[in-house]
Amino acid sequence: IARILNELHGKEIIFCEKEYPVNDIMSLFADNSKAKAVLGWQPSTSIKQGLTRTFQYYKEQYEQANN
């Protein structure tokens, strides 16, 4: 994810790694295997596509607010 964000931003973003408590939200990961098994669901957007769309949205919002 960090590499994709660096690519989208066009500048190097410096990330630092930090240990979080076991019950912290940053320690949890989504698992869509049950949705796949029960509902036959498949994601239609890749992580790169989703991050690109999200990044563009916030970039546009920032530019509109600062013009």
Side-chain angles (χ1 to χ4, degrees):
I1 291 174
R3 281 187 234 129
I4 295 169
L5 291 174
N6 273 326
E7 179 184 316
L8 293 171
H9 189 266
K11 297 179 183 176
E12 184 179 6
I13 301 171
I14 299 170
F15 296 91
C16 61
E17 292 187 31
K18 179 180 174 184
E19 284 194 36
Y20 293 94
V22 176
N23 62 346
D24 189 273
I25 189 71
M26 297 301 288
S27 300
L28 304 175
F29 299 92
D31 179 4
N32 59 18
S33 61
K34 188 170 184 179
K36 287 180 181 181
V38 174
L39 304 172
W41 177 84
Q42 291 285 3
S44 59
T45 303
S46 71
I47 188 72
K48 186 169 185 174
Q49 289 171 325
L51 286 172
T52 300
R53 290 178 191 166
T54 302
F55 187 88
Q56 276 305 118
Y57 171 80
Y58 283 104
K59 182 179 177 185
E60 290 169 9
Q61 295 302 308
Y62 176 82
E63 289 170 353
Q64 287 177 8
N66 291 292
N67 282 331

